[in-house]
Amino acid sequence: MTAELVRGQNHTLPQTRLEIRVSAGSPVVAGATLGDENGVVRGAEWIAHPGSPQLPGLEVSQQAAAGHRLAVDLEALPETVHRVTVLLALPVGVGGPARFGATAAPFIAVTGLDGTEIATFTLTGLDAESAVSALELYRRQGAWKVRAVGQGYAAGLAEMLADQGLAGAAELAASIQEAVARSLARSVAPPPPRTPEGDRVRQASGPSDPGPAPAAPPQPPAATPVQPAADPGTASVSASAPTPGGPINYAHPRRQHAAPPTPPPTAPPAQPGQAAQPVAGDATGWSMDERLYNQIWGMFEDLARAAAAYRSAVDFAESRMDQELDRSLSDPRNRIGGAGDRAREEARAKRDELTARAREVLDRDLAQLAAEAAVVEPALPAAYAGWDNPVWHAHRIPMELPMALRLGDLHLPERTGLRIPLLVRLPLERGMWVDSGRTASEAAALIDSDRLRRLAMETAVLHAARLLAVYPPGEFSVHVIDPAGSAAGPLAPLVDSGVLAGPPAAGPQGVASVLAHLTRRVDLVQMAVRAGAADSLPPDLDTGEQLLVVNDFPHGFDDRAVTQLRYLADEGPAVGVHLLMVADREDASAYGPVLDPLWRSLLRITPVADSHLADPWVGHAWTYEPPVTPPGSRVLEQVLAAVTAARRAAGR
């Protein structure tokens, strides 16, 4: 029976391997401190936080989110540890609430590995506090208990850490917030929030049994939204926890209507002992595009969680082997002779058995996802499809905006051939930065600097062309700033087809002119929206979506131009002005930390494969593969010609 705790109340823990699930009304930082018999934190190495998420027996999330799962193995903690304090803090400088009183009360549940709740605690009564010691697990007379704490701190994380006796609390708190900001900047924004009116049901392949394993790596709890705060306009994803062998439910995004959604296609019934055959569009949605969108995000989450379970099981197997060896070899009689050798062999054999069982379950899950990807990819519409998909050869410019846009592919090292399309919602809610620096990744370091810059610009052109191709005629314009004219080659398809709003701007005067034009547009639309007078906009103002492609930043930019660019990055997306920058951050190092908010506001992508993006559930580092056209193909020219023809037919 679940114990519903109030402040100060405690409850005996019936087991030592636990999950601590956190649900909050907005993204929070979750961490944990280890305390000695007096509750004192002896040093920074006794704190698990996003910048250092793992300690013996403890693992926390690497990023701020509205939901977390903390993994705890009390038996694996050092003997000097007598207390584990779970802490929550609001991230700083990311546009979210500054105090817990401005958001819904956080909820914490201590559960077993099977999800059964042992104790819960709702942190009510918080107001000006921006950090809180939520609950603590403590050792008393050889047994572990949980106590609801709920002690808030108005001065934030630094005050809370100092209260636990940590020296240098302010410096560590600042480093934690910096790590959170970095992780938010690289996190892929999840889909918008979902409602019960349209659940997507993905049939699981069967009960997953990787063998004894610790609590899963930190993940959001069931039916809890997850939202990276670095992207304030981005909404969240929620998922219902699966029962063993049962369905995983995914509610579809932003649907408030009561009418029933279109039923998804169904696969033929599976033969006994065989998995059901996958079907493209098996998610609930109001159109095939929406069903495919939900299905792809379901595959993304399934792969993230399957890999998390496997990695967690392998880590547990290694930890268990180490513990068994320590116990066996602590007896001096076992350190020499055959007894010690037998102990080592038995421990390694158990480790190998657990790892093999976990790999078997992972391979089964990966095979199911690979089969699903094989039927989904050919069925994708142009906005979701790769450039090698035949759908582009018959593409017609749509009259309605699609739900999302494909920016490339993502994969994990467990199976590099299993690629998940990286989809972002439209209209764009965050600008993009194509990193042309050679220090960005190992692959980039092997490429000549000039070649890498050209690849970066070619990647930007492909993204701009795709946006032009999926927007209705005349509803999307592309402006280009190329101060030195160095991108004439990669820009040729856009220039020759006549799809740009004007010739690429060159020199300081060209840079100033384009920035002034777009800044004026942002100002006017903002004022009209705030005044509720959209019909008062000047007749010559283009109210369609605008994309500004900037090459070789910050060359050709003075201080005023840099300020205007930052303004467009911050204010532009809300009124339809978006940035696509091609830049090497090292080139702008002279500006120092002034440009840090600019880089963090943009989704960083690369012209070569690079492992820098994180999923919004468990924070895996995913390898991003940029889009490319097939060698020798003229699909880009054909698509741009279709854009020009559609504009001409529409009189734009």
Side-chain angles (χ1 to χ4, degrees), residues 56 77 96 119 182 192 318 385 489 499 525:
L77 295 174
R182 288 197 304 268
E318 294 286 347
V499 296
V525 174

Side-chain angles (χ1 to χ4, degrees), residues 610-630:
D610 185 35
S611 302
H612 67 280
L613 292 177
D615 65 78
W617 301 286
V618 294
H620 290 318
W622 292 70
T623 299
Y624 167 78
E625 295 278 355
V628 294
T629 56

Side-chain angles (χ1 to χ4, degrees), residues 120-135:
T120 63
F121 176 40
T122 302
L123 284 78
T124 57
L126 298 175
D127 186 12
E129 298 88 347
S130 60
V132 59
S133 293
L135 58 77

Side-chain angles (χ1 to χ4, degrees), residues 16-17 126 134 173 194 277 315 424 432 438 494 505 578 609 628 642:
T16 57
R17 290 172 55 208
L126 298 175
R194 304 186 175 198
Q277 295 299 312
D315 289 343
V424 296
M432 292 180 284
R438 297 186 67 235
L494 296 177
H578 314 284
V628 294

Side-chain angles (χ1 to χ4, degrees), residues 29-32 44-45 47-55 59-64 87 157 172-184 186:
V29 181
E45 67 277 5
I47 303 177
H49 57 82
S52 178
Q54 291 183 325
L55 295 177
E59 186 173 2
V60 303
S61 176
Q62 300 181 48
Q63 57 195 39
L87 59 90
L157 193 56
L172 180 60
S175 69
I176 292 174
Q177 294 288 4
E178 176 65 20
V180 171
R182 288 197 304 268
S183 68
L184 289 174
R186 74 187 188 95

Side-chain angles (χ1 to χ4, degrees), residues 200-428:
R200 170 183 185 251
V201 179
R202 290 170 45 77
Q203 295 297 328
S205 60
S208 179
D209 181 19
Q219 301 171 7
T224 299
V226 183
Q227 181 177 5
D231 190 4
T234 305
S236 57
V237 63
S238 61
S240 297
T243 57
I248 302 173
N249 296 323
Y250 294 89
H252 78 78
R254 285 184 182 167
R255 188 61 61 185
Q256 303 297 330
H257 305 291
T262 305
T266 57
Q271 297 298 321
Q274 296 182 355
Q277 295 299 312
V279 175
D282 76 341
T284 301
W286 295 74
S287 67
M288 188 61 174
D289 285 4
E290 189 172 6
R291 295 198 295 267
L292 288 168
Y293 172 82
N294 288 341
Q295 184 174 15
I296 289 171
W297 270 90
M299 294 164 59
F300 188 9
E301 183 175 2
D302 286 353
L303 181 53
R305 296 194 185 279
Y310 169 71
R311 295 177 186 182
S312 181
V314 171
D315 289 343
F316 171 74
E318 294 286 347
S319 174
R320 176 173 173 173
M321 180 185 70
D322 292 341
Q323 293 178 27
E324 291 180 350
L325 288 176
D326 289 343
R327 285 195 295 266
S328 176
L329 299 180
S330 62
D331 187 345
R333 293 171 297 180
N334 292 337
R335 294 176 187 171
I336 57 176
D341 293 338
R342 285 193 300 274
R344 280 186 283 269
E345 291 176 1
E346 290 175 0
R348 292 185 182 120
K350 290 180 181 178
R351 185 269 317 268
D352 294 343
E353 179 186 1
L354 292 176
T355 302
R357 289 168 61 188
R359 185 72 210 193
E360 180 181 355
V361 172
L362 176 67
D363 287 342
R364 184 184 64 201
D365 293 341
L366 293 180
Q368 183 190 15
L369 286 169
E372 188 172 9
V375 299
V376 168
E377 187 70 39
L380 295 179
Y384 305 174
W387 286 106
D388 57 348
N389 193 309
V391 70
W392 284 107
H393 296 290
H395 178 62
R396 296 293 181 269
I397 307 304
M399 299 307 295
E400 293 185 359
L401 183 66
M403 285 188 62
L405 187 82
R406 185 172 185 160
L407 297 184
D409 296 329
L410 298 171
H411 64 81
L412 290 174
E414 279 76 10
R415 181 172 292 188
T416 58
L418 178 54
R419 309 259 172 123
I420 303 295
L422 172 56
L423 301 182
V424 296
R425 288 296 294 260
L426 292 178
L428 295 173

